[in-house]
Amino acid sequence: MTENNSEQRLDFIRQMVVEDNKSGKWKGRVATRFPPEPNGYLHIGHAKSICLNFGIASEFGGTCNLRFDDTNPEKEEQEYVDSITDNVKWLGWDWQDRLYFASDYFQQMYDFAVHIIESGKAYVCDQTADQVREYRGTLTQPGKNSPFRNRSIEENIDLFERMRKGEFADGTKTLRAKIDMAHPNLNLRDPIMYRILRATHHRTGDTWCIYPTYDWAHGLEDSIEGITHSICTLEFENHRPLYDWFIDQLPIHHPQQIEFARLNLTYTVMSKRKLLQLVEQNLVKGWDDPRMPTISGMRRRGYSPESIRNFCTLIGINKFNSTIDIALLEHCLREDLNKTSSRVMAVINPLKVVIDNYPDDQTEMLDAVNNPEDPSAGIRKVPFSKVLYIEQDDFMENPPKKFFRLSPGREVRLRYAYFITCTNVVKDSAGKITELHCTYDPATRGGDAPDGRKVKSTIHWLSAKDAIKAEVRLYDHLFTSANPDDVPEGKKFTDFLNPDSLKTLDNCFIEPSIANAKPLNRFQFERLGYFSVDIDSRPGKLVFNRTTTLKDSWAKIQQKPTADLI
RNA sequence: UGGGGUAUAGUGUAAUGGUAGCACAACUGACUCUGGAUCAGUUUGUCUAGGUUCGAAUCCUAGUACCCCAGCCA
């Protein structure tokens, strides 16, 4: 079903690669790169790009470099470099020895700039930022030439060298390409190649006080590394003529830039600026908050790398903006976790149940299947005794028609254990149910009735004296709006944060078999969902994150008009 | 208003002049010791209007809508 035999449908970029290989454009070589700026954590949108670039390289026998595009020391930090390398590795990709930094090319870039000045195609400009903006013109009006545009090559060389030496104050001079101030594409109106910036770079320290701009630097980075297919997002389409122009001025390898649409997901935001804001204003608990669409957040939440990679191949590649339903991501998640997660029983909203006809001090060890999807996962023993916990949601005193679980007088199965029948409901003075009394049928040990009688439902349970206390964190969408990027006039995206995106339950219980679970271990809590151990977890003080729920058809029935229930 | 892009079910994505297919979502039903999983099935689509053609999502013409660009960010 998932495979399509030899009839592989290729996205437009892969088709391009196939054609290039056919025509011999790059002599069969395929070299891509993933070029993040270390100014934030990677998110699921980056995963799309990572899987595209590394995926193409591996499918076509090529290489993919991990390259940090670190040309702006004001925003970049080593912490981000570390998180990015971790994330790419965790996703399962390998750049081998090809870890590069744009900052390692600063001298080469400088030399290339001198070459361009020598050919009369670049000049040092003394205009202020405001003047540059003013002279650039507008979308509909051409710009005006800078008064410094016609300096001699010698003067430009001299000034540029002195810029580098630190003779001029920040922002007082720039190096600009001499292209066309009337060009309809604003990017070609004498774009800035270097600015003076005294900021300590996380790798080069204070070696440089001039830094190359993206447009000037990026094509050079690609060229130096011998990239063939330089894949970037749609907003750089307008920059391609400039990418090409710079490289055409130099006697160097000329990669091809190809643009594709970035990923958008419902109920979340994907811009680094907005994610940074959530972190800095403490609207979430950090870049790796399990509600964040960051790779670190998703990992902490319990996502598997396989599920993310599968999602990235399913969504495809295109050239127009689209928003993927987060349900597809969750589908990929469940599909993978269903196959791989050990099942275990946990009760997150406990209700005490006493089995009146069960011996007071007896404990039995019952067999439970670890993973019905994977027989090799084997079985484990689960303790059963007189006093149990079940889920509050699994009992209703006055059940509607379609409620199949426990209620007064009704018999249900305790998973892997016994059939029980509710005989009495105990309430406190406020009328709240505090305890249930039941009887069990000893003949149904293991969960099967020798007389063949059926029950309408099977519920999970825990032996109260053996259960281990745990904290459980339930997550929901971070935003209440499907598209928080598109909010009504006068509203901010933060106005749509979901106040219920995190619910912490601290009176939960798990079965003793996972008492020693380690952070990031994944489980399925039967009938509740997939959970993983949070990094806040400590021995004796376990903390679980709900990665996602199981599909819940009862929840759906409940949402319908009550008429359906009665 | 200048330039650059893009339009296929609710969402996403194929079909490259020859039966509009797939996935998710939604809805039925079967099965089930997880109201899980699995299986079977149903609903919904080519931006609009013309034209070329035996035949158009695909080619042509004219519209419409949406996205990107006026950082010394990337």
Side-chain angles (χ1 to χ4, degrees):
Chain A
M1 292 291 279
T2 30
E3 279 107 316
N4 236 342
N5 305 340
S6 53
E7 283 285 313
Q8 284 277 342
R9 286 185 298 233
L10 299 180
D11 57 70
F12 78 98
I13 297 180
R14 276 175 247 250
Q15 283 179 34
M16 235 180 248
V17 174
V18 167
E19 277 157 31
D20 289 347
N21 280 348
K22 213 178 285 176
S23 71
K25 180 174 179 182
W26 308 108
K27 302 196 170 86
R29 213 163 54 80
V30 176
T32 59
R33 100 266 97 114
F34 173 62
E37 183 191 10
N39 68 344
Y41 277 57
L42 258 26
H43 53 61
I44 179 76
H46 292 109
K48 177 181 181 182
S49 173
I50 291 166
C51 292
L52 217 212
N53 280 293
F54 279 93
I56 284 177
S58 82
E59 288 156 35
F60 293 91
T63 54
C64 179
N65 302 347
L66 175 58
R67 177 174 76 228
F68 286 93
D69 200 3
D70 54 351
T71 57
N72 182 5
E74 288 187 315
K75 291 185 178 171
E76 297 155 6
E77 293 174 25
Q78 186 61 38
E79 178 196 349
Y80 297 133
V81 173
D82 297 339
S83 71
I84 290 167
T85 50
D86 279 359
N87 288 167
V88 177
K89 216 177 290 172
W90 178 76
L91 280 171
W93 301 106
D94 183 6
W95 55 88
Q96 296 172 316
D97 58 349
R98 297 181 313 279
L99 173 63
Y100 300 126
F101 292 84
S103 51
D104 288 342
Y105 310 143
F106 281 171
Q107 183 60 47
Q108 275 180 90
M109 290 176 184
Y110 180 89
D111 295 340
F112 283 138
V114 170
H115 184 277
I116 295 205
I117 296 171
E118 282 169 346
S119 63
K121 296 284 182 59
Y123 62 98
V124 172
C125 181
D126 296 2
Q127 285 187 314
T128 64
D130 284 343
Q131 287 169 327
V132 168
R133 189 179 312 121
E134 189 191 328
Y135 276 61
R136 184 156 32 225
T138 67
L139 295 177
T140 50
Q141 291 171 327
K144 292 180 293 186
N145 285 349
S146 159
F148 306 99
R149 201 172 198 256
N150 291 317
R151 292 217 251 229
S152 70
I153 289 175
E154 294 69 30
E155 188 182 4
N156 282 322
I157 297 272
D158 174 61
L159 256 14
F160 186 49
E161 277 174 6
R162 290 163 59 194
M163 277 171 65
R164 177 192 186 159
K165 283 181 192 153
E167 292 187 19
F168 309 113
D170 285 12
T172 55
K173 282 182 167 50
T174 57
L175 181 71
R176 294 230 255 164
K178 193 190 283 190
I179 306 181
D180 179 1
M181 288 305 292
H183 199 104
N185 180 341
L186 271 54
N187 294 128
L188 287 273
R189 320 245 262 228
D190 289 11
I192 286 166
M193 298 165 65
Y194 278 93
R195 72 273 205 184
I196 302 173
L197 200 61
R198 283 170 180 81
T200 302
H201 188 279
H202 63 102
R203 284 182 61 84
T204 60
D206 297 319
T207 308
W208 295 85
C209 67
I210 59 172
Y211 289 93
T213 56
Y214 170 87
D215 285 313
W216 164 241
H218 202 87
L220 299 180
E221 297 160 23
D222 286 340
S223 181
I224 289 166
E225 294 177 15
I227 299 302
T228 54
H229 304 267
S230 173
I231 300 168
C232 61
T233 45
L234 243 35
E235 66 269 26
F236 293 105
E237 211 153 19
N238 293 324
H239 295 246
R240 183 163 15 107
L242 183 52
Y243 180 100
D244 290 334
W245 188 91
F246 278 131
I247 295 175
D248 283 341
Q249 307 311 308
L250 299 162
I252 58 175
H253 167 71
H254 193 149
Q256 180 179 3
Q257 176 178 307
I258 305 165
E259 309 85 10
F260 74 101
R262 57 167 7 118
L263 170 67
N264 297 293
L265 259 190
T266 55
Y267 297 102
T268 192
V269 293
M270 212 69 92
S271 94
K272 272 198 211 171
R273 203 202 91 237
K274 287 177 180 168
L275 294 175
L276 214 211
Q277 188 181 335
L278 294 176
V279 172
E280 288 187 333
Q281 297 181 0
N282 293 314
L283 299 168
V284 294
K285 293 179 185 169
W287 285 103
D288 68 344
D289 186 302
R291 293 167 292 182
M292 291 280 271
T294 53
I295 306 298
S296 296
M298 294 170 75
R299 171 172 56 186
R300 181 170 176 184
R301 169 107 167 223
Y303 274 78
S304 62
E306 291 75 15
S307 64
I308 294 174
R309 295 213 293 185
N310 190 236
F311 171 75
C312 289
T313 71
L314 275 186
I315 57 178
I317 301 294
N318 58 44
K319 288 205 66 155
F320 54 95
N321 296 303
S322 57
T323 302
I324 310 265
D325 191 337
I326 198 160
L328 182 61
L329 214 209
E330 288 164 356
H331 163 79
C332 293
L333 215 210
R334 292 190 181 104
E335 186 181 45
D336 184 54
L337 297 185
N338 177 49
K339 284 183 297 195
T340 57
S341 301
S342 288
R343 312 289 128 130
V344 92
M345 290 194 282
V347 175
I348 60 173
N349 290 300
L351 173 60
K352 188 177 169 188
V353 172
V354 179
I355 310 295
D356 290 327
N357 59 339
Y358 194 84
D360 284 353
D361 300 320
Q362 182 171 314
T363 297
E364 288 178 274
M365 297 305 286
L366 302 170
D367 289 343
V369 173
N370 285 331
N371 185 350
E373 307 292 321
D374 175 14
S376 73
I379 59 169
R380 68 184 184 287
K381 298 284 186 186
V382 183
F384 183 89
S385 65
K386 185 181 181 81
V387 181
L388 310 172
Y389 293 129
I390 66 167
E391 211 66 63
Q392 287 171 24
D393 287 349
D394 286 339
F395 177 81
M396 276 184 97
E397 191 171 17
N398 299 298
K401 243 182 194 164
K402 291 187 177 174
F403 184 86
F404 302 150
R405 283 111 93 148
L406 195 62
S407 57
R410 183 182 291 168
E411 184 174 55
V412 299
R413 170 167 39 231
L414 294 180
R415 179 142 233 228
Y416 300 125
Y418 293 99
F419 285 13
I420 60 167
T421 304
C422 177
T423 54
N424 193 21
V425 180
V426 180
K427 296 179 190 174
D428 63 15
S429 55
K432 186 175 178 289
I433 299 171
T434 56
E435 188 177 308
L436 261 29
H437 281 76
C438 297
T439 57
Y440 84 116
D441 177 357
T444 57
R445 191 179 196 274
D448 288 307
D451 62 0
R453 76 180 188 275
K454 303 278 187 202
V455 286
K456 287 187 89 173
S457 154
T458 300
I459 64 175
H460 60 275
W461 55 275
L462 246 24
S463 163
K465 68 180 172 59
D466 300 293
I468 292 169
K469 197 134 183 222
E471 175 181 321
V472 170
R473 299 174 183 169
L474 305 179
Y475 299 103
D476 196 357
H477 301 149
L478 225 203
F479 291 91
T480 53
S481 162
N483 185 1
D485 286 320
D486 183 23
V487 300
E489 278 285 316
K491 292 277 191 179
K492 307 182 297 283
F493 80 100
T494 48
D495 294 338
F496 293 86
L497 278 163
N498 179 5
D500 299 321
S501 60
L502 166 63
K503 277 186 201 154
T504 301
L505 305 179
D506 49 20
N507 188 35
C508 308
F509 294 93
I510 56 166
E511 66 176 66
S513 67
I514 58 167
N516 297 316
K518 299 286 178 297
L520 303 184
N521 283 175
R522 289 186 276 260
F523 301 96
Q524 183 197 96
F525 289 177
E526 295 228 18
R527 303 207 306 133
L528 295 176
Y530 296 98
F531 292 75
S532 74
V533 182
D534 190 78
I535 56 177
D536 288 343
S537 204
R538 297 285 175 274
K541 176 65 167 92
L542 290 170
V543 180
F544 290 87
N545 293 316
R546 184 174 68 193
T547 312
T548 190
T549 59
L550 254 19
K551 278 205 241 165
D552 187 349
S553 46
W554 167 241
K556 249 180 215 173
I557 293 169
Q558 279 181 304
Q559 282 164 14
K560 289 184 179 178
T562 32
D564 274 36
L565 294 174
I566 309 159

